[in-house]
Amino acid sequence: MAPAEDDISIDEKRVYAGSAGRTDAYVATGAGVVRVSLSADKVGAFDMVARDPARDVAVLSRGDGAADLVAAATPDGLAVAAVGDDPEFALVDDCPAVAVGATGARDGSLLVAREDGAVGRVELQGGEEGGPSAAPSTTRLGSVAEPRAVDGALVAGAEGVYRAGEDGLTDVGLDDARDAAGSGTPLAATGAGLYWLGNGWMTAREGAADAVAADGDGHAMAVVDGDLLVHSGAGEWEDETWAVADLPVDETVVALGYGPGVSVVVTGVGTLCVDAGDGWRHQVVGVREVAGVALADVEEDE
């Protein structure tokens, strides 16, 4: 088992990260948020950084010297912390949330789906020490029946996929959407299959698709009929451009994420697998009820 984060000094973290840099993977679980430090495909320390149940997690990149933020959708509301060595999560509202994602818009906002189906854009102003303020600006965009996932401007729900815009939500089709990827070519995982948006929704792979993620540069992963599929990175998205990944563990993948140069998957029994281009490595984190993963690029202190 990796050493506890408290047992690793800042200098040791810097040596560990080396020239590859450090990426932190934040994993949402029923017990809280777990942070796992990565350097390329090397898995380092991990620790619990929030101890309240989390249903989803997202990283919001900000410019102008402001610290990037990690946001967790929780039964008590939206909890946010600044990315860094000692993230301190704090609730910025008290409306139960089920899914959260960075919109990718210039305003640096989050798209949040609530337990009652409401979907809104949340803008977090700067607070003390580069963290978020406790008084975000929230704009309600509409509602979705049984929202399940948010990514970019896309919301996946029981009745299909919706796109968030300035004037509200637009139904863009499909049914029983379980996940969506809004970076680059839109992708959707549904009970009937994996789809990509071209001239309408096109079938990439038939079967029960439960999760999908993309990096915006043609790389993508999806879970279909229990298999982890990896997209080749080519410009096409048909069935033949996807291949089953050979993971080092025989476990069901439930969460997918991309970071700078790395692909990360987390299984239902708490094993984290990472690929930086030379094959998959894994580390047993030992958490259950995994609900999501998001990756943050960490700038080391001098």
Side-chain angles (χ1 to χ4, degrees):
M1 182 173 179
E5 186 78 8
D6 291 342
D7 296 334
I8 297 181
S9 70
I10 298 297
D11 287 340
E12 287 172 321
K13 287 179 185 175
R14 188 179 297 118
V15 170
Y16 155 74
S19 60
R22 174 177 149 204
T23 299
D24 283 350
Y26 290 88
V27 184
T29 79
V33 178
V34 176
R35 179 183 58 184
V36 184
S37 294
L38 309 172
S39 180
D41 60 1
K42 297 179 177 63
V43 183
F46 56 87
D47 62 342
M48 188 79 74
V49 293
R51 297 188 178 276
D52 295 316
R55 296 164 166 172
D56 196 12
V57 65
V59 169
L60 177 63
S61 298
R62 303 195 295 175
D64 300 326
D68 292 346
L69 302 177
V70 54
T74 82
D76 295 321
L78 184 66
V80 181
V83 170
D85 289 310
D86 299 299
E88 296 183 6
F89 282 84
L91 288 172
V92 296
D93 63 43
D94 59 1
C95 184
V98 296
V100 59
T103 64
R106 293 181 179 179
D107 59 9
S109 57
L110 295 167
L111 195 63
V112 184
R114 305 293 180 171
E115 194 174 83
D116 63 1
V119 177
R121 183 182 295 108
V122 177
E123 296 182 38
L124 297 164
Q125 307 301 321
E128 296 181 0
E129 299 181 357
S133 70
S137 171
T138 301
T139 302
R140 182 185 171 98
L141 299 175
S143 61
V144 171
E146 196 181 331
R148 297 166 175 170
V150 171
D151 189 70
L154 300 182
V155 181
E159 296 182 353
V161 180
Y162 299 79
R163 179 183 282 116
E166 291 297 326
D167 299 325
L169 299 176
T170 301
D171 185 344
V172 292
L174 298 177
D175 189 30
D176 186 21
R178 302 171 179 182
D179 201 0
S183 297
T185 298
L187 303 170
T190 80
L194 175 66
Y195 296 86
W196 61 282
L197 188 60
N199 184 18
W201 288 106
M202 314 293 288
T203 303
R205 183 69 65 96
E206 294 183 347
D210 294 311
V212 64
D215 69 353
D217 291 322
H219 303 97
M221 298 180 288
V223 178
V224 182
D225 286 338
D227 292 328
L228 176 65
L229 305 181
V230 177
H231 186 252
S232 64
E236 302 299 325
W237 295 91
E238 288 81 1
D239 182 284
E240 62 271 14
T241 65
W242 297 82
V244 176
D246 185 18
L247 289 177
V249 293
D250 184 17
E251 299 169 6
T252 301
V253 173
V254 296
L256 313 170
Y258 280 98
V262 296
S263 309
V264 169
V265 305
V266 188
T267 72
V269 295
T271 300
L272 184 143
C273 304
V274 56
D275 183 6
D278 295 320
W280 294 94
R281 295 193 181 189
H282 72 288
Q283 171 68 56
V284 177
V285 181
V287 292
R288 297 294 190 271
E289 299 179 69
V290 174
V293 63
L295 280 72
D297 189 16
V298 180
E299 293 186 6
E300 300 288 353
D301 296 330
E302 296 297 334

